[in-house]
Amino acid sequence: MINILVVEDDKHVRRLLEAVLKREGYDVVTAEDGVKALEVLDSQHIDLIILDIMMPNMDGYEFAKEVRDADSLVPILMATAKQLPEDKKKGFRIGTDDYMTKPIDTEEMLLRIQALLRRSQIASARKLVVGKVILDYDALTVTREDEKQTLPQKEFYLLYKLLSYPERIFTRIQLMDEIWGMESESTDTTVNVHINRLRKRFDSYPEFELVSVRGLGYKAVRSQ
């Protein structure tokens, strides 16, 4: 079961988010400010945090900083009435993973949560072995026998994602969402460019192939 912590001082918003998330099958814990939210983190495992900014006692910025200073990588989705670019930039600099403005579109929120959880699950695996090929998530390296390549971050994440789900087709939009994030200004042609680079890097590797699926997107085919 996925545990989501909702940190929100408005009780009506808090109850709404709790009801929506529970309906989707998530376990939900709530806190009305950052201080109480830190107490929750000390007492139980949390898979994702939905965080307001303007709260008493400890605001969202300070709470997010505390979480990241403790070396926690739990995904944080900031949901706030603050809409200025400076507010978003401050949130991302502190360590939030995604950002929504109020009033919250609950359908969009659920999609963002799914994307964040997928990225988090990929990150937690850390290593992937495909025949003689080893992908090291922390080092961004692909090793095959005596050959080791260190990839640019986005190239590595893209390859890791596709090889983690062999034969599964991903659209360009899905890959943009998961690898580059919804806030990215890049277009889906960016995925094409990165796929072509990966094909050139690993065209001699018999363990896998990155295949275009006409009109849909891409998939990885593993031979081992």
Side-chain angles (χ1 to χ4, degrees):
M1 187 67 74
I2 301 295
N3 298 314
I4 295 181
L5 170 61
V6 176
V7 190
E8 167 65 61
D9 66 323
D10 185 316
K11 67 178 181 180
H12 299 294
V13 176
R14 196 165 62 240
R15 288 173 181 172
L16 170 64
L17 298 184
E18 181 178 13
V20 169
L21 292 167
K22 284 185 174 179
R23 189 173 65 231
E24 293 297 313
Y26 297 113
D27 274 352
V28 184
V29 184
T30 63
E32 61 193 44
D33 60 44
V35 173
K36 289 183 171 59
L38 287 176
E39 293 174 359
V40 171
L41 291 179
D42 285 339
S43 63
Q44 66 184 95
H45 173 75
I46 295 296
D47 295 288
L48 182 140
I49 299 168
I50 299 175
L51 178 65
D52 186 25
I53 293 180
M54 302 300 291
M55 297 182 296
N57 301 320
M58 178 185 288
D59 68 16
Y61 293 133
E62 187 178 353
F63 170 79
K65 186 176 185 302
E66 289 278 346
V67 171
R68 295 301 182 234
D69 285 349
D71 293 327
S72 172
L73 297 177
V74 60
I76 298 175
L77 171 58
M78 192 165 269
T80 175
K82 285 180 169 287
Q83 300 184 21
L84 294 176
E86 291 76 13
D87 299 318
K88 292 184 180 182
K89 291 174 184 177
K90 182 176 180 181
F92 284 126
R93 288 192 190 104
I94 290 171
T96 58
D97 298 277
D98 204 352
Y99 196 106
M100 288 190 70
T101 54
K102 294 179 178 178
I104 294 174
D105 180 323
T106 55
E107 184 177 357
E108 179 186 349
M109 177 190 73
L110 292 172
L111 291 172
R112 288 177 181 269
I113 287 171
Q114 290 167 11
L116 286 171
L117 289 173
R118 284 193 296 266
R119 290 202 292 267
S120 175
Q121 288 161 4
I122 291 173
S124 66
R126 296 303 177 190
K127 283 193 178 182
L128 182 64
V129 178
V130 182
K132 295 180 179 180
V133 179
I134 301 173
L135 285 77
D136 187 320
Y137 194 95
D138 293 318
L140 302 179
T141 57
V142 179
T143 305
R144 186 179 190 275
E145 297 180 327
D146 295 330
E147 180 183 357
K148 177 183 287 188
Q149 299 187 53
T150 301
L151 273 58
Q153 187 182 63
K154 300 303 184 186
E155 279 187 38
F156 181 89
Y157 290 164
L158 181 58
L159 180 63
Y160 200 100
K161 176 67 177 180
L162 291 170
L163 288 176
S164 295
Y165 300 91
E167 302 294 342
R168 178 172 166 181
I169 300 170
F170 291 92
T171 67
R172 293 174 182 83
I173 297 300
Q174 281 178 306
L175 294 170
M176 280 298 302
D177 173 19
E178 295 193 33
I179 308 300
W180 281 264
M182 285 187 175
E183 299 295 332
S184 173
E185 296 180 358
S186 300
T187 65
D188 59 359
T189 56
T190 302
V191 178
N192 303 5
V193 172
H194 282 69
I195 289 288
N196 288 333
R197 288 174 181 168
L198 288 169
R199 284 171 172 162
K200 290 178 181 178
R201 283 182 183 274
F202 303 110
D203 61 353
S204 63
Y205 283 28
E207 286 84 359
F208 63 86
E209 181 183 3
L210 303 182
V211 177
S212 300
V213 182
R214 188 179 179 88
L216 292 176
Y218 298 101
K219 67 177 181 178
V221 177
R222 290 168 53 165
S223 59
Q224 299 187 28

